[in-house]
Amino acid sequence: MSDFQDALSAAFALVAGQDPALAEIVGLSLRVSLMALALAALVGLPLGALLAVARFPGRHLIIVGMNALMGLPPVVAGLVIYLLLSRAGPFGHFGLLFTPSAMVIAQAVLIAPILAALTREVLEGMWEEYREQLHSFGVSSWRAVPTLLRDGRLALVTVLLAGFGRASAEVGAVMVVGGNIEGFTRVMTTAIALETSKGDLPLALGLGMVLMAIVLAVNGAAHLLRERVARMSG
Amino acid sequence: MNAPLRALRSGRRALPAALAALLSPPVAAQRRAIILASTTSTEQTGLFGHILPIFTRQAGIVVRVVALGTGQALDVGRRGDADVVLVHDRAAEERFVAEGFGGPRRPVMYNDFVLVGPADDPAGIGGNADIAFALAQIAAARARFVSRGDRSGTHAAELRLWLAAGVDPARGRGTWYREVGQGMGPALNTAAAQNAYLIADRGSWIAFRNRQGMRVLVEGDRRLLNQYGVMLVSPQRHPHVRAADGQRFVDWITSAEGQGAIAGFRIGGEQLFFPNATEPGA
Amino acid sequence: MRAGSGLLPLQVEGLGFVAGGVPILQDVSFRLEAGPPSVLIGPNGAGKSTLLRLLHGLLPPSGGVIRWALLPAEVARRRQAMVFQRPVMLRRSALANVEYPLRLAGLPGPERRARAQAVLGEFGLGDLAHRPARRLSGGEQQRIALARAAAMDPAMLFLDEPSANLDPAATRAVEEIVTAIAARGTKVLMTTHDLGQARRLAGDILFLHRGRVVEHAPAARFFAAPAAPEAAAFLKGELLW
């Protein structure tokens, strides 16, 4: 039990002490995960919507592939991206390895299939309901995508939160491609891994609590936003 | 936090804003910096946190440390993903230099390895001065032993010591010999949880918090010496290597000033690393 | 005012539809003229909803011809609207629902807002304009759906059981709107299982039984003296299959 008490007081000390290094780590975590989320959403949401409405050859292959990618172990994703971004790899000349950009790419690759698969599931039901009416309006399946994304926005906030949760909780991939460089690519999860391996379990757990608090805050903010939008549009 | 959520709410309008946010470079990206591939023992003890700010203040060069096992760190150097490598496995370092990936190798500092084990010492090796003999006793008692198993400098040193003890630990796999394939910290955590013996570098041991009653049982044997070396990654092999800045770091850490900074790093009054850049043959 | 606008008369010949090897509609032929609403009646499963969907172009016929007076089918479709048994409300305000098809039609923002507001006002729905459409009652949703269709100013409007599951007051409100739409010159073809409603609204009746149009007659004549024995039985309330 004293481990948890130590962790609590470590967490409290971290936050109360307004440690600039902690603020930097938290800031980078949010920045990286939100950028990854935006990047993945740009691809995943339209792709998911398209898969919900369109029927074309190869659709099932894409869905199966997507679902398989959802189970991709982060370390494997990290390793693949490491090899791609390494100086000796095909995209080496961009010099992105061991930078926050590489972490954004890794997280985006990890969560894009999740966003696409969840978006497809959410919008397929809505499309079932809307299909005839939109066809009656003369809207083709493809052109229905923006309408579905707009009208599904409440459910999609939940989808985005799932993506954000996975991105911000992820450690394997960002560790490999970011290198956990202090003050540059160290984020909450890699910091927790580091403190764990240093045997400073209370500090690691304290950092974990801070991470939880942040994820909770983001979810709470998203919840309030949903409420507001829901009141306006039902 | 709101860029994507806003994009969702207001549709197309916020998209350019989100894109712009994505494309804006990371805050610190424009600073003059080198990447140093090094080991968990140097990073996690806090050595770099102590000496690198001194270098950065003087040279205006940020050193970004990627902490890995020695084998991995050298591989990162081979791929050209680091500018400088600072590790502790002399044989592997000399191979790296011979293959033309970097160098020349310069000795930097040393400390030593210690054999750590549970307080009740089931193999009865405490106070032994001969590390080879102690290891042979552990093997004979089939007492649990945790190995890094990750091609790190510590792992290489441990394997050399088993060789000296005349024991092939691989035969204990699945029973008493446990390879965790991870860094020093996780290996220490594992040993603490399993009441096992292990070889650790002294720096990591001193900095380690979660000891659970483990203590140092064998130390001081000259075969336990842990020597660190530093090398610039070859700019001939990898033209993008920041050779001038990297060389500056190599020169600094082997200079009187850098060596003094290393000697000045202490935890609880205890010196963790001993500079020896000028020692011939180190 | 627009008297069919190139759509009417509608000539249907030998129309058939097969789903999964089962014939739903067979050899359906009739002619629709401009004028008061035409009402499709018949027992459940007769194929009424399917026929509406074929005419509106939501389903491809297995055979036969649908011929609009002057316009090819693709162009004719743009002059039509359809309201479904369960109104499909987009997840936005009532006003935005009405505006949605107008935007698709390329109407500029201020103009479509004005038109949507005018139509809602005309049908006594002005108070609901800014309410989330999906929070409205079933009757209100159906009226919004009708207003949305009316705002498109279609030459032809298909209604599939527009007042099924509605209480008498809501049914009356819906019928008033249908009457108003028909009075604007839009040709209405609707299905209903409410014979009273058919009597109140219909100019002519199409009686559909087992996938065939068994009788097509002016409403007054049909209800007074149905020619087909199945129609007579149906009007008497006998079970048909």
Side-chain angles (χ1 to χ4, degrees):
Chain A
M1 228 33 239
S2 81
D3 277 349
F4 287 97
Q5 277 163 19
D6 289 353
L8 251 176
S9 52
F12 187 75
L14 278 171
V15 177
Q18 292 169 346
D19 183 350
L22 176 72
E24 202 180 300
I25 288 173
V26 169
L28 184 67
S29 292
L30 285 174
R31 221 174 121 84
V32 164
S33 294
L34 285 171
M35 279 191 198
L37 183 64
L39 198 64
L42 278 180
V43 177
L45 262 50
L47 177 64
L50 209 61
L51 289 169
V53 303
R55 297 291 177 270
F56 52 88
R59 174 174 173 271
H60 281 282
L61 270 179
I62 295 184
I63 291 175
V64 168
M66 227 164 56
N67 288 339
L69 281 179
M70 272 173 80
L72 184 70
V75 180
V76 176
L79 191 59
V80 170
I81 290 161
Y82 175 91
L83 293 175
L84 291 175
L85 296 184
S86 166
R87 290 289 183 176
F91 301 108
H93 59 280
F94 292 113
L96 290 177
L97 193 66
F98 301 141
T99 67
S101 303
M103 300 157 80
V104 169
I105 293 169
Q107 289 191 352
V109 165
L110 278 174
I111 65 175
I114 298 176
L115 294 186
L118 293 179
T119 300
R120 181 184 72 87
E121 254 183 66
V122 163
L123 296 188
E124 224 164 36
M126 191 186 295
W127 176 236
E128 197 55 42
E129 188 197 333
Y130 277 17
R131 188 172 49 87
E132 281 201 315
Q133 183 68 69
L134 293 189
H135 280 168
S136 169
F137 289 150
V139 178
S140 67
S141 296
W142 296 72
R143 280 186 49 205
V145 164
T147 299
L148 289 177
L149 287 175
R150 184 199 178 282
D151 279 23
R153 61 199 182 283
L154 289 180
L156 291 178
V157 168
T158 310
V159 170
L160 290 179
L161 283 178
F164 176 77
R166 163 110 170 175
S168 57
E170 194 286 314
V171 58
V174 293
M175 183 70 97
V176 174
V177 304
N180 191 23
I181 297 167
E182 186 186 359
F184 187 54
T185 59
R186 182 162 299 165
V187 289
M188 296 295 293
T189 53
T190 57
I192 291 169
L194 177 68
E195 293 310 329
T196 304
S197 77
K198 279 156 82 171
D200 199 339
L201 305 187
L203 183 56
L205 204 52
L207 279 166
M209 287 175 180
V210 174
L211 177 63
M212 276 303 302
I214 289 163
V215 170
L216 265 175
V218 169
N219 274 275
H223 180 75
L224 290 179
L225 176 68
R226 272 184 61 135
E227 291 284 294
R228 255 188 62 195
V229 178
R231 246 180 287 136
M232 284 169 359
S233 63
Chain B
M1 60 150 277
N2 273 316
L5 297 180
R6 266 205 315 268
L8 202 70
R9 271 185 63 190
S10 52
R12 280 163 294 193
R13 260 169 301 149
L15 220 62
L19 269 175
L22 272 175
L23 296 175
S24 68
V27 189
Q30 267 74 26
R31 292 167 69 184
R32 208 165 143 199
I34 58 170
I35 290 181
L36 170 64
S38 189
T39 67
T40 48
S41 53
T42 39
E43 161 84 347
Q44 295 188 6
T45 51
L47 172 70
F48 285 140
H50 175 73
I51 65 168
L52 293 183
I54 302 172
F55 171 70
T56 300
R57 240 185 343 265
Q58 288 178 4
I61 300 166
V62 173
V63 182
R64 295 188 176 137
V65 180
V66 179
L68 304 156
T70 289
Q72 280 176 296
L74 287 170
D75 283 347
V76 164
R78 279 193 182 88
R79 301 185 64 88
D81 292 322
D83 304 300
V84 179
V85 183
L86 193 163
V87 293
H88 62 141
D89 180 353
R90 182 151 180 189
E93 291 159 38
E94 281 167 353
R95 217 162 34 244
F96 181 84
V97 173
E99 289 162 357
F101 287 107
R105 172 188 177 277
R106 307 259 290 270
V108 177
M109 62 193 183
Y110 70 92
N111 63 1
D112 62 342
F113 295 111
V114 288
L115 178 60
V116 173
D120 62 352
D121 187 14
I125 56 168
N128 211 316
D130 185 335
I131 182 67
F133 183 68
L135 284 176
Q137 264 186 298
I138 289 171
R142 301 175 67 79
R144 279 193 290 268
F145 186 94
V146 166
S147 167
R148 290 277 295 275
D150 65 348
R151 291 198 309 131
S152 60
T154 306
H155 185 215
E158 178 209 311
L159 293 178
R160 277 196 303 275
L161 294 171
W162 283 115
L163 203 62
V167 173
D168 178 8
R171 295 168 66 181
R173 268 190 199 135
T175 56
W176 59 273
Y177 186 72
R178 298 174 181 185
E179 293 165 291
V180 292
Q182 296 190 70
M184 198 67 252
L188 278 161
N189 277 326
T190 307
Q194 299 190 345
N195 280 324
Y197 295 93
L198 89 166
I199 299 277
D201 68 280
R202 188 183 292 273
S204 295
W205 167 250
I206 291 172
F208 186 69
R209 300 283 191 82
N210 182 33
R211 293 188 183 177
Q212 310 273 346
M214 283 197 303
R215 58 193 175 91
V216 172
L217 295 168
V218 179
E219 59 188 322
D221 188 315
R222 58 176 179 77
R223 286 171 291 188
L224 287 170
L225 184 79
N226 179 23
Q227 176 68 45
Y228 289 82
V230 69
M231 287 141 284
L232 180 71
V233 174
S234 163
Q236 283 80 43
R237 204 48 101 88
H238 295 291
H240 59 267
V241 163
R242 280 153 285 207
D245 290 354
Q247 189 59 50
R248 183 134 181 221
F249 175 73
V250 171
D251 290 344
W252 178 82
I253 201 167
T254 50
S255 71
E257 226 178 334
Q259 298 274 293
I262 291 170
F265 174 59
R266 282 157 204 272
I267 293 182
E270 194 168 347
Q271 182 172 345
L272 269 68
F273 296 94
F274 301 86
N276 65 343
T278 51
E279 187 182 322
Chain C
M1 49 199 262
R2 73 184 76 64
S5 302
L7 261 64
L8 297 172
L10 161 65
Q11 189 73 44
V12 176
E13 280 161 24
L15 193 63
F17 183 74
V18 179
V22 181
I24 308 292
L25 290 174
Q26 302 176 61
D27 196 20
V28 169
S29 301
F30 60 88
R31 180 185 166 92
L32 280 192
E33 303 283 352
S38 300
V39 177
L40 261 172
I41 61 173
N44 286 337
K48 302 188 294 286
S49 297
T50 305
L51 180 53
L52 291 188
R53 285 172 168 77
L54 287 174
L55 296 177
H56 189 33
L58 293 179
L59 292 174
S62 312
V65 178
I66 299 168
R67 192 159 44 237
W68 304 96
L70 301 172
L71 301 173
E74 273 316 299
V75 183
R77 263 197 76 172
R78 278 184 241 138
R79 308 292 330 273
Q80 307 166 11
M82 181 159 176
V83 172
F84 299 85
Q85 181 170 348
R86 286 180 57 186
V88 181
M89 289 288 107
L90 305 179
R91 287 156 174 81
R92 29 190 114 185
S93 71
L95 184 66
N97 262 278
V98 179
E99 283 187 51
Y100 181 83
L102 301 179
R103 196 179 66 204
L104 293 172
L107 228 60
E111 196 178 324
R112 71 172 182 254
R113 174 146 297 217
R115 194 194 299 185
Q117 261 159 346
V119 172
L120 286 175
E122 190 184 334
F123 295 158
L125 298 167
D127 293 346
L128 306 180
H130 298 288
R131 301 261 299 275
R134 299 170 70 87
R135 301 263 181 87
L136 300 175
S137 72
E140 288 168 335
Q141 291 194 16
Q142 193 58 281
R143 285 153 72 198
I144 298 291
L146 284 164
R148 183 171 61 189
M152 298 160 71
D153 204 12
M156 177 92 213
L157 173 61
F158 299 101
L159 304 178
D160 191 3
E161 301 276 2
S163 58
N165 317 321
L166 296 186
D167 61 37
T171 300
R172 178 138 111 213
V174 164
E175 287 182 11
E176 276 168 12
I177 293 180
V178 172
T179 306
I181 291 174
R184 287 156 52 141
T186 295
K187 175 66 184 181
V188 173
L189 175 62
M190 64 183 282
T191 67
T192 183
H193 62 262
D194 176 350
L195 290 178
Q197 182 170 68
R199 282 177 208 269
R200 289 190 292 277
L201 296 177
D204 55 331
I205 299 285
L206 289 127
F207 180 70
L208 203 61
H209 184 226
R210 292 187 164 182
R212 293 171 197 276
V213 173
V214 178
E215 186 166 357
H216 182 193
R221 215 273 283 136
F222 179 85
F223 287 113
E230 296 94 335
F234 180 71
L235 287 180
K236 270 188 252 161
E238 289 173 17
L239 285 174
L240 287 180
W241 60 87

